[in-house]
Amino acid sequence: MKKGLIILGVVVVIVIGLYSWATGIYNTAVTLDQNVKESWGNVNTAYQRRNDLIPNLVNTVKGYAKHEQTTLTAVIEARAKATGITIDPSNVTPEQLAAFNSAQSGVSSSLSKLLVSVEQYPNLKADASFMKLQDELTSTENQILTARTRFNEAVKPYNNNINTFPRNILAGMYGLKEKPYFEASTGADKPVEVKF
């Protein structure tokens, strides 16, 4: 009788230990996934701030640069395309992130062209509201960079958690998948050409 109780006690301890181990792995993955979602929200907030600034910037430039309509239209269209892409951070795929990144790069590119065309308008460059918008836009671009960096920093521990052995076995059973990182935009490896 004692031998049967000992065996039962050992089995119960092993089952409780395995249960605790498995729930610990899952709960850690959930916590890290929430960090990724929070970081993604911060990325979206930074991009939203930029998208909110664009109409003000475009309207300010319109008053000075009436014949720059194609550049202004390109900025507005790029903004519309970028705001049309939404991603669920819990199911983000590398392809979705690449499409999002591409759309946001389009906004950056068209804004750069707009700011280059502004160089032709000394009165606009001296306008206080334009200078304030340009400073806010620069600040926002820095916030975007920081948010993207922090997103990647949140993705790394999550991916490490679900890809290390033996956690990867349980992660597969729970349906947890690796999350993609933000990568540099296409052409970012080439130096910017500045012409005077």
Side-chain angles (χ1 to χ4, degrees), residues 135-171:
D135 287 344
E136 284 187 40
L137 197 58
T138 301
S139 170
T140 300
E141 291 297 325
N142 289 334
Q143 289 174 1
I144 289 169
L145 173 64
T146 301
R148 287 174 55 146
T149 301
R150 289 187 178 151
F151 174 79
N152 284 349
E153 289 171 352
V155 166
K156 182 180 178 182
Y158 173 83
N159 286 347
N160 285 343
N161 183 61
I162 66 165
N163 287 324
T164 55
F165 182 79
R167 294 172 183 263
N168 60 344
I169 296 168
L170 287 176

PDB file of all heavy atoms in Angstrom, residues 135-171:
ATOM      1  N   ASP A 135      10.101  71.561 -38.002  1.00  0.00           N
ATOM      2  CA  ASP A 135      10.736  71.062 -36.775  1.00  0.00           C
ATOM      3  C   ASP A 135       9.942  69.906 -36.174  1.00  0.00           C
ATOM      4  O   ASP A 135      10.510  68.908 -35.721  1.00  0.00           O
ATOM      5  CB  ASP A 135      10.876  72.183 -35.741  1.00  0.00           C
ATOM      6  CG  ASP A 135      11.955  73.191 -36.109  1.00  0.00           C
ATOM      7  OD1 ASP A 135      12.787  72.874 -36.991  1.00  0.00           O
ATOM      8  OD2 ASP A 135      11.954  74.291 -35.526  1.00  0.00           O
ATOM      9  N   GLU A 136       8.605  70.037 -36.175  1.00  0.00           N
ATOM     10  CA  GLU A 136       7.766  68.961 -35.650  1.00  0.00           C
ATOM     11  C   GLU A 136       7.899  67.699 -36.491  1.00  0.00           C
ATOM     12  O   GLU A 136       7.915  66.585 -35.959  1.00  0.00           O
ATOM     13  CB  GLU A 136       6.299  69.403 -35.587  1.00  0.00           C
ATOM     14  CG  GLU A 136       6.013  70.337 -34.447  1.00  0.00           C
ATOM     15  CD  GLU A 136       4.535  70.628 -34.292  1.00  0.00           C
ATOM     16  OE1 GLU A 136       3.723  69.699 -34.439  1.00  0.00           O
ATOM     17  OE2 GLU A 136       4.209  71.790 -34.020  1.00  0.00           O
ATOM     18  N   LEU A 137       7.998  67.885 -37.798  1.00  0.00           N
ATOM     19  CA  LEU A 137       8.170  66.739 -38.688  1.00  0.00           C
ATOM     20  C   LEU A 137       9.507  66.044 -38.439  1.00  0.00           C
ATOM     21  O   LEU A 137       9.574  64.818 -38.382  1.00  0.00           O
ATOM     22  CB  LEU A 137       8.062  67.191 -40.145  1.00  0.00           C
ATOM     23  CG  LEU A 137       7.814  66.117 -41.180  1.00  0.00           C
ATOM     24  CD1 LEU A 137       6.543  65.342 -40.879  1.00  0.00           C
ATOM     25  CD2 LEU A 137       7.723  66.726 -42.564  1.00  0.00           C
ATOM     26  N   THR A 138      10.554  66.822 -38.245  1.00  0.00           N
ATOM     27  CA  THR A 138      11.867  66.254 -37.930  1.00  0.00           C
ATOM     28  C   THR A 138      11.811  65.493 -36.613  1.00  0.00           C
ATOM     29  O   THR A 138      12.329  64.374 -36.502  1.00  0.00           O
ATOM     30  CB  THR A 138      12.930  67.370 -37.859  1.00  0.00           C
ATOM     31  OG1 THR A 138      12.975  68.040 -39.115  1.00  0.00           O
ATOM     32  CG2 THR A 138      14.296  66.812 -37.528  1.00  0.00           C
ATOM     33  N   SER A 139      11.169  66.091 -35.622  1.00  0.00           N
ATOM     34  CA  SER A 139      11.013  65.431 -34.327  1.00  0.00           C
ATOM     35  C   SER A 139      10.222  64.130 -34.470  1.00  0.00           C
ATOM     36  O   SER A 139      10.563  63.104 -33.872  1.00  0.00           O
ATOM     37  CB  SER A 139      10.302  66.374 -33.357  1.00  0.00           C
ATOM     38  OG  SER A 139       9.933  65.707 -32.183  1.00  0.00           O
ATOM     39  N   THR A 140       9.178  64.164 -35.285  1.00  0.00           N
ATOM     40  CA  THR A 140       8.352  62.980 -35.499  1.00  0.00           C
ATOM     41  C   THR A 140       9.140  61.877 -36.196  1.00  0.00           C
ATOM     42  O   THR A 140       9.009  60.703 -35.844  1.00  0.00           O
ATOM     43  CB  THR A 140       7.095  63.349 -36.315  1.00  0.00           C
ATOM     44  OG1 THR A 140       6.361  64.327 -35.576  1.00  0.00           O
ATOM     45  CG2 THR A 140       6.227  62.145 -36.568  1.00  0.00           C
ATOM     46  N   GLU A 141       9.955  62.240 -37.170  1.00  0.00           N
ATOM     47  CA  GLU A 141      10.789  61.232 -37.847  1.00  0.00           C
ATOM     48  C   GLU A 141      11.726  60.560 -36.841  1.00  0.00           C
ATOM     49  O   GLU A 141      11.948  59.350 -36.907  1.00  0.00           O
ATOM     50  CB  GLU A 141      11.577  61.864 -38.998  1.00  0.00           C
ATOM     51  CG  GLU A 141      10.729  62.311 -40.167  1.00  0.00           C
ATOM     52  CD  GLU A 141       9.989  61.185 -40.872  1.00  0.00           C
ATOM     53  OE1 GLU A 141      10.510  60.063 -40.973  1.00  0.00           O
ATOM     54  OE2 GLU A 141       8.854  61.419 -41.320  1.00  0.00           O
ATOM     55  N   ASN A 142      12.252  61.339 -35.900  1.00  0.00           N
ATOM     56  CA  ASN A 142      13.099  60.754 -34.852  1.00  0.00           C
ATOM     57  C   ASN A 142      12.289  59.833 -33.943  1.00  0.00           C
ATOM     58  O   ASN A 142      12.772  58.780 -33.518  1.00  0.00           O
ATOM     59  CB  ASN A 142      13.778  61.856 -34.041  1.00  0.00           C
ATOM     60  CG  ASN A 142      14.850  62.570 -34.823  1.00  0.00           C
ATOM     61  OD1 ASN A 142      15.440  62.015 -35.750  1.00  0.00           O
ATOM     62  ND2 ASN A 142      15.098  63.820 -34.481  1.00  0.00           N
ATOM     63  N   GLN A 143      11.044  60.224 -33.644  1.00  0.00           N
ATOM     64  CA  GLN A 143      10.170  59.372 -32.832  1.00  0.00           C
ATOM     65  C   GLN A 143       9.860  58.065 -33.564  1.00  0.00           C
ATOM     66  O   GLN A 143       9.795  57.004 -32.937  1.00  0.00           O
ATOM     67  CB  GLN A 143       8.870  60.090 -32.491  1.00  0.00           C
ATOM     68  CG  GLN A 143       9.036  61.205 -31.497  1.00  0.00           C
ATOM     69  CD  GLN A 143       7.746  61.990 -31.278  1.00  0.00           C
ATOM     70  OE1 GLN A 143       6.708  61.691 -31.851  1.00  0.00           O
ATOM     71  NE2 GLN A 143       7.817  63.013 -30.443  1.00  0.00           N
ATOM     72  N   ILE A 144       9.660  58.148 -34.875  1.00  0.00           N
ATOM     73  CA  ILE A 144       9.399  56.944 -35.665  1.00  0.00           C
ATOM     74  C   ILE A 144      10.592  56.005 -35.597  1.00  0.00           C
ATOM     75  O   ILE A 144      10.439  54.803 -35.371  1.00  0.00           O
ATOM     76  CB  ILE A 144       9.052  57.305 -37.125  1.00  0.00           C
ATOM     77  CG1 ILE A 144       7.671  57.960 -37.198  1.00  0.00           C
ATOM     78  CG2 ILE A 144       9.114  56.084 -38.033  1.00  0.00           C
ATOM     79  CD1 ILE A 144       7.335  58.582 -38.543  1.00  0.00           C
ATOM     80  N   LEU A 145      11.780  56.557 -35.766  1.00  0.00           N
ATOM     81  CA  LEU A 145      12.993  55.732 -35.676  1.00  0.00           C
ATOM     82  C   LEU A 145      13.094  55.064 -34.308  1.00  0.00           C
ATOM     83  O   LEU A 145      13.368  53.865 -34.212  1.00  0.00           O
ATOM     84  CB  LEU A 145      14.233  56.597 -35.941  1.00  0.00           C
ATOM     85  CG  LEU A 145      15.573  55.913 -35.706  1.00  0.00           C
ATOM     86  CD1 LEU A 145      15.772  54.744 -36.678  1.00  0.00           C
ATOM     87  CD2 LEU A 145      16.711  56.905 -35.827  1.00  0.00           C
ATOM     88  N   THR A 146      12.836  55.836 -33.256  1.00  0.00           N
ATOM     89  CA  THR A 146      12.902  55.283 -31.902  1.00  0.00           C
ATOM     90  C   THR A 146      11.842  54.198 -31.704  1.00  0.00           C
ATOM     91  O   THR A 146      12.133  53.129 -31.141  1.00  0.00           O
ATOM     92  CB  THR A 146      12.712  56.406 -30.863  1.00  0.00           C
ATOM     93  OG1 THR A 146      13.740  57.380 -31.048  1.00  0.00           O
ATOM     94  CG2 THR A 146      12.763  55.871 -29.447  1.00  0.00           C
ATOM     95  N   ALA A 147      10.629  54.446 -32.172  1.00  0.00           N
ATOM     96  CA  ALA A 147       9.555  53.459 -32.011  1.00  0.00           C
ATOM     97  C   ALA A 147       9.866  52.179 -32.771  1.00  0.00           C
ATOM     98  O   ALA A 147       9.616  51.076 -32.277  1.00  0.00           O
ATOM     99  CB  ALA A 147       8.225  54.046 -32.473  1.00  0.00           C
ATOM    100  N   ARG A 148      10.411  52.307 -33.978  1.00  0.00           N
ATOM    101  CA  ARG A 148      10.771  51.119 -34.759  1.00  0.00           C
ATOM    102  C   ARG A 148      11.885  50.339 -34.071  1.00  0.00           C
ATOM    103  O   ARG A 148      11.852  49.104 -34.028  1.00  0.00           O
ATOM    104  CB  ARG A 148      11.185  51.521 -36.174  1.00  0.00           C
ATOM    105  CG  ARG A 148      10.016  51.947 -37.023  1.00  0.00           C
ATOM    106  CD  ARG A 148      10.442  52.479 -38.354  1.00  0.00           C
ATOM    107  NE  ARG A 148      11.271  51.526 -39.075  1.00  0.00           N
ATOM    108  CZ  ARG A 148      11.266  51.371 -40.380  1.00  0.00           C
ATOM    109  NH1 ARG A 148      10.475  52.112 -41.127  1.00  0.00           N
ATOM    110  NH2 ARG A 148      12.047  50.496 -40.957  1.00  0.00           N
ATOM    111  N   THR A 149      12.849  51.053 -33.522  1.00  0.00           N
ATOM    112  CA  THR A 149      13.947  50.397 -32.805  1.00  0.00           C
ATOM    113  C   THR A 149      13.411  49.658 -31.584  1.00  0.00           C
ATOM    114  O   THR A 149      13.782  48.504 -31.326  1.00  0.00           O
ATOM    115  CB  THR A 149      15.003  51.436 -32.376  1.00  0.00           C
ATOM    116  OG1 THR A 149      15.494  52.097 -33.546  1.00  0.00           O
ATOM    117  CG2 THR A 149      16.154  50.788 -31.634  1.00  0.00           C
ATOM    118  N   ARG A 150      12.521  50.292 -30.855  1.00  0.00           N
ATOM    119  CA  ARG A 150      11.958  49.651 -29.657  1.00  0.00           C
ATOM    120  C   ARG A 150      11.068  48.462 -30.030  1.00  0.00           C
ATOM    121  O   ARG A 150      10.995  47.490 -29.282  1.00  0.00           O
ATOM    122  CB  ARG A 150      11.195  50.670 -28.824  1.00  0.00           C
ATOM    123  CG  ARG A 150      12.152  51.635 -28.153  1.00  0.00           C
ATOM    124  CD  ARG A 150      11.482  52.565 -27.189  1.00  0.00           C
ATOM    125  NE  ARG A 150      12.485  53.423 -26.567  1.00  0.00           N
ATOM    126  CZ  ARG A 150      12.241  54.637 -26.143  1.00  0.00           C
ATOM    127  NH1 ARG A 150      11.032  55.143 -26.239  1.00  0.00           N
ATOM    128  NH2 ARG A 150      13.203  55.354 -25.603  1.00  0.00           N
ATOM    129  N   PHE A 151      10.389  48.551 -31.177  1.00  0.00           N
ATOM    130  CA  PHE A 151       9.607  47.405 -31.654  1.00  0.00           C
ATOM    131  C   PHE A 151      10.542  46.225 -31.889  1.00  0.00           C
ATOM    132  O   PHE A 151      10.273  45.106 -31.436  1.00  0.00           O
ATOM    133  CB  PHE A 151       8.852  47.765 -32.941  1.00  0.00           C
ATOM    134  CG  PHE A 151       8.138  46.587 -33.553  1.00  0.00           C
ATOM    135  CD1 PHE A 151       6.926  46.150 -33.051  1.00  0.00           C
ATOM    136  CD2 PHE A 151       8.689  45.896 -34.632  1.00  0.00           C
ATOM    137  CE1 PHE A 151       6.262  45.062 -33.605  1.00  0.00           C
ATOM    138  CE2 PHE A 151       8.033  44.810 -35.195  1.00  0.00           C
ATOM    139  CZ  PHE A 151       6.821  44.398 -34.681  1.00  0.00           C
ATOM    140  N   ASN A 152      11.648  46.461 -32.579  1.00  0.00           N
ATOM    141  CA  ASN A 152      12.612  45.385 -32.822  1.00  0.00           C
ATOM    142  C   ASN A 152      13.176  44.847 -31.513  1.00  0.00           C
ATOM    143  O   ASN A 152      13.397  43.641 -31.373  1.00  0.00           O
ATOM    144  CB  ASN A 152      13.744  45.867 -33.736  1.00  0.00           C
ATOM    145  CG  ASN A 152      13.318  45.963 -35.185  1.00  0.00           C
ATOM    146  OD1 ASN A 152      12.255  45.494 -35.569  1.00  0.00           O
ATOM    147  ND2 ASN A 152      14.153  46.585 -35.992  1.00  0.00           N
ATOM    148  N   GLU A 153      13.390  45.740 -30.555  1.00  0.00           N
ATOM    149  CA  GLU A 153      13.894  45.309 -29.246  1.00  0.00           C
ATOM    150  C   GLU A 153      12.857  44.454 -28.508  1.00  0.00           C
ATOM    151  O   GLU A 153      13.226  43.578 -27.725  1.00  0.00           O
ATOM    152  CB  GLU A 153      14.283  46.518 -28.398  1.00  0.00           C
ATOM    153  CG  GLU A 153      15.534  47.211 -28.894  1.00  0.00           C
ATOM    154  CD  GLU A 153      15.812  48.538 -28.203  1.00  0.00           C
ATOM    155  OE1 GLU A 153      14.945  49.019 -27.415  1.00  0.00           O
ATOM    156  OE2 GLU A 153      16.877  49.109 -28.466  1.00  0.00           O
ATOM    157  N   ALA A 154      11.571  44.688 -28.734  1.00  0.00           N
ATOM    158  CA  ALA A 154      10.516  43.882 -28.105  1.00  0.00           C
ATOM    159  C   ALA A 154      10.345  42.550 -28.829  1.00  0.00           C
ATOM    160  O   ALA A 154       9.999  41.542 -28.202  1.00  0.00           O
ATOM    161  CB  ALA A 154       9.196  44.649 -28.088  1.00  0.00           C
ATOM    162  N   VAL A 155      10.582  42.535 -30.135  1.00  0.00           N
ATOM    163  CA  VAL A 155      10.429  41.307 -30.915  1.00  0.00           C
ATOM    164  C   VAL A 155      11.526  40.296 -30.564  1.00  0.00           C
ATOM    165  O   VAL A 155      11.266  39.093 -30.485  1.00  0.00           O
ATOM    166  CB  VAL A 155      10.432  41.628 -32.435  1.00  0.00           C
ATOM    167  CG1 VAL A 155      10.610  40.370 -33.267  1.00  0.00           C
ATOM    168  CG2 VAL A 155       9.142  42.332 -32.823  1.00  0.00           C
ATOM    169  N   LYS A 156      12.734  40.780 -30.325  1.00  0.00           N
ATOM    170  CA  LYS A 156      13.870  39.877 -30.086  1.00  0.00           C
ATOM    171  C   LYS A 156      13.637  38.918 -28.907  1.00  0.00           C
ATOM    172  O   LYS A 156      13.781  37.707 -29.082  1.00  0.00           O
ATOM    173  CB  LYS A 156      15.147  40.683 -29.873  1.00  0.00           C
ATOM    174  CG  LYS A 156      16.364  39.818 -29.663  1.00  0.00           C
ATOM    175  CD  LYS A 156      17.608  40.649 -29.449  1.00  0.00           C
ATOM    176  CE  LYS A 156      18.806  39.755 -29.198  1.00  0.00           C
ATOM    177  NZ  LYS A 156      20.012  40.538 -28.941  1.00  0.00           N
ATOM    178  N   PRO A 157      13.265  39.388 -27.703  1.00  0.00           N
ATOM    179  CA  PRO A 157      13.054  38.422 -26.614  1.00  0.00           C
ATOM    180  C   PRO A 157      11.883  37.473 -26.885  1.00  0.00           C
ATOM    181  O   PRO A 157      11.921  36.311 -26.477  1.00  0.00           O
ATOM    182  CB  PRO A 157      12.813  39.275 -25.375  1.00  0.00           C
ATOM    183  CG  PRO A 157      12.620  40.656 -25.840  1.00  0.00           C
ATOM    184  CD  PRO A 157      13.157  40.760 -27.227  1.00  0.00           C
ATOM    185  N   TYR A 158      10.846  37.971 -27.561  1.00  0.00           N
ATOM    186  CA  TYR A 158       9.719  37.104 -27.910  1.00  0.00           C
ATOM    187  C   TYR A 158      10.210  35.981 -28.820  1.00  0.00           C
ATOM    188  O   TYR A 158       9.935  34.805 -28.568  1.00  0.00           O
ATOM    189  CB  TYR A 158       8.602  37.909 -28.585  1.00  0.00           C
ATOM    190  CG  TYR A 158       7.490  37.028 -29.106  1.00  0.00           C
ATOM    191  CD1 TYR A 158       6.484  36.587 -28.258  1.00  0.00           C
ATOM    192  CD2 TYR A 158       7.465  36.611 -30.430  1.00  0.00           C
ATOM    193  CE1 TYR A 158       5.472  35.762 -28.722  1.00  0.00           C
ATOM    194  CE2 TYR A 158       6.461  35.787 -30.902  1.00  0.00           C
ATOM    195  CZ  TYR A 158       5.462  35.367 -30.051  1.00  0.00           C
ATOM    196  OH  TYR A 158       4.478  34.535 -30.516  1.00  0.00           O
ATOM    197  N   ASN A 159      10.909  36.342 -29.898  1.00  0.00           N
ATOM    198  CA  ASN A 159      11.407  35.332 -30.822  1.00  0.00           C
ATOM    199  C   ASN A 159      12.391  34.381 -30.139  1.00  0.00           C
ATOM    200  O   ASN A 159      12.364  33.173 -30.375  1.00  0.00           O
ATOM    201  CB  ASN A 159      12.059  35.988 -32.046  1.00  0.00           C
ATOM    202  CG  ASN A 159      11.037  36.588 -32.993  1.00  0.00           C
ATOM    203  OD1 ASN A 159       9.842  36.331 -32.893  1.00  0.00           O
ATOM    204  ND2 ASN A 159      11.503  37.406 -33.907  1.00  0.00           N
ATOM    205  N   ASN A 160      13.266  34.926 -29.286  1.00  0.00           N
ATOM    206  CA  ASN A 160      14.189  34.058 -28.543  1.00  0.00           C
ATOM    207  C   ASN A 160      13.419  33.087 -27.657  1.00  0.00           C
ATOM    208  O   ASN A 160      13.769  31.911 -27.567  1.00  0.00           O
ATOM    209  CB  ASN A 160      15.137  34.893 -27.678  1.00  0.00           C
ATOM    210  CG  ASN A 160      16.216  35.567 -28.478  1.00  0.00           C
ATOM    211  OD1 ASN A 160      16.487  35.205 -29.616  1.00  0.00           O
ATOM    212  ND2 ASN A 160      16.838  36.572 -27.890  1.00  0.00           N
ATOM    213  N   ASN A 161      12.375  33.578 -27.028  1.00  0.00           N
ATOM    214  CA  ASN A 161      11.590  32.745 -26.113  1.00  0.00           C
ATOM    215  C   ASN A 161      10.926  31.574 -26.836  1.00  0.00           C
ATOM    216  O   ASN A 161      10.938  30.456 -26.337  1.00  0.00           O
ATOM    217  CB  ASN A 161      10.534  33.595 -25.410  1.00  0.00           C
ATOM    218  CG  ASN A 161       9.735  32.802 -24.405  1.00  0.00           C
ATOM    219  OD1 ASN A 161      10.272  32.266 -23.453  1.00  0.00           O
ATOM    220  ND2 ASN A 161       8.442  32.715 -24.624  1.00  0.00           N
ATOM    221  N   ILE A 162      10.351  31.835 -27.998  1.00  0.00           N
ATOM    222  CA  ILE A 162       9.607  30.760 -28.662  1.00  0.00           C
ATOM    223  C   ILE A 162      10.478  29.903 -29.577  1.00  0.00           C
ATOM    224  O   ILE A 162      10.020  28.870 -30.048  1.00  0.00           O
ATOM    225  CB  ILE A 162       8.397  31.297 -29.454  1.00  0.00           C
ATOM    226  CG1 ILE A 162       8.832  32.151 -30.632  1.00  0.00           C
ATOM    227  CG2 ILE A 162       7.438  32.033 -28.542  1.00  0.00           C
ATOM    228  CD1 ILE A 162       7.732  32.393 -31.628  1.00  0.00           C
ATOM    229  N   ASN A 163      11.720  30.322 -29.817  1.00  0.00           N
ATOM    230  CA  ASN A 163      12.582  29.553 -30.719  1.00  0.00           C
ATOM    231  C   ASN A 163      13.639  28.719 -30.019  1.00  0.00           C
ATOM    232  O   ASN A 163      14.317  27.930 -30.663  1.00  0.00           O
ATOM    233  CB  ASN A 163      13.271  30.487 -31.724  1.00  0.00           C
ATOM    234  CG  ASN A 163      12.300  30.982 -32.769  1.00  0.00           C
ATOM    235  OD1 ASN A 163      11.414  30.265 -33.197  1.00  0.00           O
ATOM    236  ND2 ASN A 163      12.457  32.234 -33.167  1.00  0.00           N
ATOM    237  N   THR A 164      13.828  28.886 -28.711  1.00  0.00           N
ATOM    238  CA  THR A 164      14.835  28.100 -28.001  1.00  0.00           C
ATOM    239  C   THR A 164      14.239  26.775 -27.544  1.00  0.00           C
ATOM    240  O   THR A 164      13.057  26.689 -27.214  1.00  0.00           O
ATOM    241  CB  THR A 164      15.388  28.879 -26.791  1.00  0.00           C
ATOM    242  OG1 THR A 164      14.310  29.282 -25.960  1.00  0.00           O
ATOM    243  CG2 THR A 164      16.191  30.090 -27.233  1.00  0.00           C
ATOM    244  N   PHE A 165      15.080  25.769 -27.542  1.00  0.00           N
ATOM    245  CA  PHE A 165      14.663  24.438 -27.131  1.00  0.00           C
ATOM    246  C   PHE A 165      14.588  24.396 -25.623  1.00  0.00           C
ATOM    247  O   PHE A 165      15.450  24.943 -24.952  1.00  0.00           O
ATOM    248  CB  PHE A 165      15.664  23.384 -27.636  1.00  0.00           C
ATOM    249  CG  PHE A 165      15.276  21.979 -27.289  1.00  0.00           C
ATOM    250  CD1 PHE A 165      14.320  21.317 -28.030  1.00  0.00           C
ATOM    251  CD2 PHE A 165      15.840  21.341 -26.199  1.00  0.00           C
ATOM    252  CE1 PHE A 165      13.943  20.027 -27.695  1.00  0.00           C
ATOM    253  CE2 PHE A 165      15.467  20.056 -25.860  1.00  0.00           C
ATOM    254  CZ  PHE A 165      14.525  19.394 -26.617  1.00  0.00           C
ATOM    255  N   PRO A 166      13.640  23.791 -25.033  1.00  0.00           N
ATOM    256  CA  PRO A 166      12.491  23.038 -25.519  1.00  0.00           C
ATOM    257  C   PRO A 166      11.240  23.890 -25.696  1.00  0.00           C
ATOM    258  O   PRO A 166      10.183  23.389 -26.044  1.00  0.00           O
ATOM    259  CB  PRO A 166      12.271  21.990 -24.436  1.00  0.00           C
ATOM    260  CG  PRO A 166      12.658  22.684 -23.175  1.00  0.00           C
ATOM    261  CD  PRO A 166      13.783  23.611 -23.570  1.00  0.00           C
ATOM    262  N   ARG A 167      11.386  25.197 -25.489  1.00  0.00           N
ATOM    263  CA  ARG A 167      10.225  26.087 -25.610  1.00  0.00           C
ATOM    264  C   ARG A 167       9.627  26.051 -27.020  1.00  0.00           C
ATOM    265  O   ARG A 167       8.435  26.234 -27.186  1.00  0.00           O
ATOM    266  CB  ARG A 167      10.616  27.518 -25.251  1.00  0.00           C
ATOM    267  CG  ARG A 167      10.997  27.668 -23.802  1.00  0.00           C
ATOM    268  CD  ARG A 167      11.560  29.060 -23.532  1.00  0.00           C
ATOM    269  NE  ARG A 167      11.984  29.191 -22.156  1.00  0.00           N
ATOM    270  CZ  ARG A 167      11.256  29.731 -21.201  1.00  0.00           C
ATOM    271  NH1 ARG A 167      10.063  30.192 -21.479  1.00  0.00           N
ATOM    272  NH2 ARG A 167      11.704  29.815 -19.976  1.00  0.00           N
ATOM    273  N   ASN A 168      10.469  25.835 -28.025  1.00  0.00           N
ATOM    274  CA  ASN A 168       9.969  25.822 -29.400  1.00  0.00           C
ATOM    275  C   ASN A 168       8.956  24.698 -29.623  1.00  0.00           C
ATOM    276  O   ASN A 168       8.045  24.836 -30.439  1.00  0.00           O
ATOM    277  CB  ASN A 168      11.112  25.751 -30.403  1.00  0.00           C
ATOM    278  CG  ASN A 168      11.965  24.514 -30.252  1.00  0.00           C
ATOM    279  OD1 ASN A 168      11.914  23.822 -29.234  1.00  0.00           O
ATOM    280  ND2 ASN A 168      12.765  24.243 -31.254  1.00  0.00           N
ATOM    281  N   ILE A 169       9.085  23.614 -28.901  1.00  0.00           N
ATOM    282  CA  ILE A 169       8.132  22.502 -29.029  1.00  0.00           C
ATOM    283  C   ILE A 169       6.758  22.954 -28.529  1.00  0.00           C
ATOM    284  O   ILE A 169       5.743  22.782 -29.212  1.00  0.00           O
ATOM    285  CB  ILE A 169       8.624  21.258 -28.258  1.00  0.00           C
ATOM    286  CG1 ILE A 169       9.927  20.755 -28.885  1.00  0.00           C
ATOM    287  CG2 ILE A 169       7.565  20.169 -28.249  1.00  0.00           C
ATOM    288  CD1 ILE A 169      10.657  19.731 -28.053  1.00  0.00           C
ATOM    289  N   LEU A 170       6.747  23.541 -27.338  1.00  0.00           N
ATOM    290  CA  LEU A 170       5.479  24.017 -26.786  1.00  0.00           C
ATOM    291  C   LEU A 170       4.939  25.204 -27.580  1.00  0.00           C
ATOM    292  O   LEU A 170       3.727  25.329 -27.754  1.00  0.00           O
ATOM    293  CB  LEU A 170       5.650  24.398 -25.323  1.00  0.00           C
ATOM    294  CG  LEU A 170       5.802  23.217 -24.367  1.00  0.00           C
ATOM    295  CD1 LEU A 170       6.070  23.702 -22.965  1.00  0.00           C
ATOM    296  CD2 LEU A 170       4.551  22.351 -24.380  1.00  0.00           C
ATOM    297  N   ALA A 171       5.814  26.076 -28.062  1.00  0.00           N
ATOM    298  CA  ALA A 171       5.361  27.224 -28.862  1.00  0.00           C
ATOM    299  C   ALA A 171       4.640  26.737 -30.107  1.00  0.00           C
ATOM    300  O   ALA A 171       3.611  27.292 -30.499  1.00  0.00           O
ATOM    301  CB  ALA A 171       6.538  28.108 -29.241  1.00  0.00           C
TER     302      ALA A 171
END
